[in-house]
Amino acid sequence: MAVSFKPAVISTLFLAMTLSVGAASANALTEGFDSGVPTGWTVVNNSVPLGVNNWFQGNPAVFSSHQGAPNSYLGSNFNSGGGVSTISDWLILPTSTYHNGDTLSFYTRGVENSDYPDRLEVRFSNVGGTNVGSTASSVGTFSSLLLSVNPDLDVGGYPQEWTKYSVTLSGLSGATSGAFAFHYSVTDGGPFGDNSDYIGIDTVSVTAVPEPSTYLMLGAGLGLVGLARKRKAKAA
């Protein structure tokens, strides 16, 4: 009498595939900012002199969100600083475990036809946490500059419609407990400065690449598929 091992093989294959799905290098996320600054994110305003605003729920009277409700994005503006100021307004993501190849993507834009240029940096800390120092020029442990949008503060240099940017981690020695941060960084800003107006960020996502063990488990799963086919043929 022919004996089939198909049920046992499928159960093992399901286990291998389940394990592989759970093995990821970072906590993947997608954030649309429906309710302001998300739980677990941190805002630090080191602008000098300090203004009256930090990162805030978007104002649809200036422009609407990339997607979702008109105000479902985060904004920062010239009121992060006071008078003529050096603006340094931080938005820090929660600490997670990262590997090379993990990607952060987001959309950002500024005000159409603005005469007051803006700048946004994306930075990374390879120890995580929220240490950005205590001065307008300090970056604390967020010393890795991954991207600068309009680095030279050119008039018209910041995108005037929602534009997607992505950064991919590299150079890490292995699994790294780290954190990304958005840094609204504008010199000669504030209500009476020549720079700084209003920016928004929206649709932030972190995409994790599979860990090496994931590929091993996937390979084991594919091997079990081949084994199931052989046993089925033999039973027949």
Side-chain angles (χ1 to χ4, degrees):
M1 178 177 65
V3 178
S4 173
F5 295 90
K6 185 177 180 181
V9 171
I10 289 178
S11 298
T12 307
L13 173 60
F14 177 77
L15 175 60
M17 294 181 70
T18 301
L19 290 172
S20 70
V21 169
S25 55
N27 293 325
L29 66 84
T30 299
E31 180 57 61
F33 306 110
D34 294 329
S35 303
V37 177
T39 302
W41 297 44
T42 303
V43 171
V44 178
N45 191 349
N46 283 337
S47 302
V48 177
L50 190 63
V52 296
N53 278 350
N54 297 313
W55 288 91
F56 51 82
Q57 188 79 49
N59 182 359
V62 181
F63 52 75
S64 294
S65 67
H66 169 247
Q67 60 182 16
N71 71 337
S72 61
Y73 66 95
L74 291 187
S76 189
N77 70 358
F78 59 89
N79 279 322
S80 296
V84 178
S85 64
T86 298
I87 294 177
S88 178
D89 197 8
W90 294 84
L91 177 65
I92 307 167
L93 279 68
T95 297
S96 184
T97 301
Y98 292 100
H99 285 70
N100 293 322
D102 290 344
T103 298
L104 169 75
S105 64
F106 64 98
Y107 285 79
T108 188
R109 65 163 292 178
V111 178
E112 292 184 11
N113 303 316
S114 175
D115 293 326
Y116 304 98
D118 283 314
R119 176 170 57 205
L120 177 69
E121 297 178 341
V122 178
R123 290 183 170 271
F124 184 75
S125 166
N126 63 4
V127 296
T130 61
N131 177 13
V132 294
S134 57
T135 70
S137 60
S138 65
V139 296
T141 63
F142 288 82
S143 55
S144 297
L145 176 62
L146 304 180
L147 173 70
S148 183
V149 181
N150 196 23
D152 298 323
L153 289 171
D154 296 324
V155 174
Y158 208 91
Q160 298 176 39
E161 60 184 24
W162 288 109
T163 302
K164 184 177 182 179
Y165 292 86
S166 296
V167 294
T168 301
L169 292 176
S170 63
L172 302 179
S173 60
T176 299
S177 181
F180 287 105
F182 295 102
H183 184 209
Y184 183 47
S185 172
V186 187
T187 53
D188 193 13
F192 301 113
D194 290 333
N195 302 323
S196 75
D197 196 340
Y198 180 105
I199 66 168
I201 62 169
D202 199 0
T203 320
V204 174
S205 65
V206 174
T207 304
V209 297
E211 294 185 72
S213 58
T214 300
Y215 294 110
L216 292 175
M217 285 184 284
L218 180 58
L222 293 175
L224 288 171
V225 170
L227 178 60
R229 288 177 177 172
K230 288 181 179 179
R231 287 179 173 174
K232 183 176 180 180
K234 184 175 181 180

